[in-house]
Amino acid sequence: MRDAFVVQYDADDPAGQRALAMHTDASLFSVNVLLSDPEREFIGGGTLFDFVRKGLNEEDGAGAEPVAATEGSWTVRPAQGTAIVHSGQLLHGGLRIERGKRYILVGFIEVRRETPYAVDDSCAAAADAFAKFGHAAWTREALGSGELLVRLHPQSPEVEIHLAAPMRIDPQSPEVEIHLAAPMRIDPQSPEVEIHSAPPMRIEAAAAPPSSSAAHHGPWMPPSMARANKGASDWAAELGARIQGNSFAPFVPTRTAQAARLVALGGITASDVVCDLGCGDASLLCTLVRQTGCSAIGCDVNGELLARARARIADDDACASRIVLSCALLADFMHSAAFEPTTVLLVFLVPQQLEALAPDLRAAILPSAGHRRLLSLRYPIPGLVVRGSIGDEEGSSSSEDEDESSSSSLAHTTRMDDAPAWTSSPAYFGRSFGGAYLY
Ligand SMILES: O=C(O)CCC(=O)C(=O)O
Ligand SMILES: [Fe+2]
């Protein structure tokens, strides 16, 4: 942890700070814990995240006071004691409070780049996404009674933040403690922990590493998960589904009519094994399986979206027998045995990720790898020679794709209704389809 401090927003004092302009933090990720009671202690406030703009300069949103409900933004108003953990690179700001005082604890955390992340943990996968792409967000809940908030892989510099119960902060008698778990592998060259706080906080190195860190197997879950208050868990689930799932690329559903055009472009038939790298809730795979009778493989780093995919598939006999799902980092998955049967590889990823994966994608379609076809939705893959393409649905003059009614009967359109409206808005991710390239 590079820095931790308490921020006070004060609507009662004319000279007090009431809002915080849109900005990015100089951190790998930031922790923001609401210390005040939003029911009783202040009105307004909240943290606004902007998933569209990068905030590198004023034109791009930095420096402006956050305004709620803009397109492509998401306001988080957590319950007291809930932590928001987000990429420092994500543009965000503190919304104006109208009444009272709002205290938050903010911490900036950095992790050395060479640190290996665990693949079995969506938190770690998100951290990896930060390291690679600089924007992603995920959440962890904190804790009615004060426990583990944030944790990276045990082999990484162990950062844990414990909040001692009760959570309520009283400026006269601070009841917030930050424990940094031992061993604290902090770079001795840099000034490690610097705390600015009003009120002062105690910082302690824990006496011993928690037992769970000695042998960490399987996905890590916050111990507080089970008893977290409902408001916080609802919020986290909702936010998680929208954001955590997007640790690599935004989740954008693909419509049925568009799937038919993909089938035509890729020449997908019943004898194919289609692998969707970053399959999300597997709605596209289900549609392809139903349309063509193909088999399918889905891979995603996001456990929550995969859980939805599993539920979707379990309800659908046609899909249940034909789709195999895996939770893994995409590059790792491409080198696993589970990937081998693939005959058609499907990606719907952002350009930075396509660039990072390009060597693996190229290797996957070499003749020696079995003449696979590769379909990239929306974005071309740098350095690969395009063999065919289709344009955006609206921009295309072909007529086969305008059948709206056919899409409404299928399950994946339900997912579209679930998706926040802005995910399909041009400001967010261009149009929701944007054509495809065949390699
Ligand atoms: O008010 C908030 O929730 C945002 C605080 C913040 O982003 C910061 O202090 O860096
Ligand atoms: Fe910030």
Side-chain angles (χ1 to χ4, degrees), residues 264-339:
L265 178 66
I268 300 171
T269 68
S271 58
D272 278 313
V273 179
V274 178
C275 173
D276 188 350
L277 280 184
C279 65
D281 70 353
S283 56
L284 177 57
L285 282 182
C286 280
T287 305
L288 293 176
V289 165
R290 281 200 221 91
Q291 285 188 3
T292 68
C294 68
S295 299
I297 300 169
C299 172
D300 208 289
V301 292
N302 179 353
E304 279 184 43
L305 278 177
L306 271 181
R308 268 201 260 166
R310 294 208 160 90
R312 168 192 297 281
I313 286 168
D315 284 349
D316 184 322
D317 290 343
C319 294
S321 57
R322 291 211 181 85
I323 302 182
V324 178
L325 297 171
S326 295
C327 188
L329 287 174
L330 307 187
D332 292 346
F333 185 73
M334 291 175 74
H335 296 287
S336 73
F339 175 76

Side-chain angles (χ1 to χ4, degrees), residues 8 25 58 141 200 231 278 321:
Q8 176 193 269
D25 300 324
E58 273 177 36
E141 295 180 34
S321 57

Side-chain angles (χ1 to χ4, degrees), residues 5 7 9 20 23 25 32 46-47 92-95 102 104 106 108:
F5 49 88
V7 181
Y9 294 92
L20 183 66
H23 65 282
D25 300 324
N32 177 330
T47 312
H92 64 283
L95 283 157
R102 169 177 177 256
I104 53 171
V106 174
F108 296 141

Side-chain angles (χ1 to χ4, degrees), residues 169-194:
I169 191 164
D170 172 351
Q172 309 314 322
S173 79
E175 286 174 319
V176 176
E177 295 178 15
I178 299 182
H179 301 258
L180 298 180
M184 286 188 44
R185 281 172 229 153
I186 285 180
D187 184 352
Q189 307 310 328
S190 64
E192 305 345 303
V193 182
E194 202 189 310

Side-chain angles (χ1 to χ4, degrees), residues 27-46:
S27 63
L28 177 67
F29 60 92
S30 305
V31 184
N32 177 330
V33 185
L34 180 61
L35 301 172
S36 306
D37 181 351
E39 306 289 324
R40 266 174 275 157
E41 293 175 321
F42 64 92
I43 295 174

Side-chain angles (χ1 to χ4, degrees), residues 13 55-56 65 74 78 111 115 120 162 174 182-183 194 201 267 272 280 300 340-341 343 347 370 381 388 391 399 413:
D13 175 358
L56 299 177
E65 183 169 325
W74 180 247
V111 175
T115 302
D120 59 359
H162 299 255
E194 202 189 310
M201 291 181 290
D272 278 313
D300 208 289
E340 272 166 27
T343 61
V347 286
I381 301 169
S399 58
T413 56

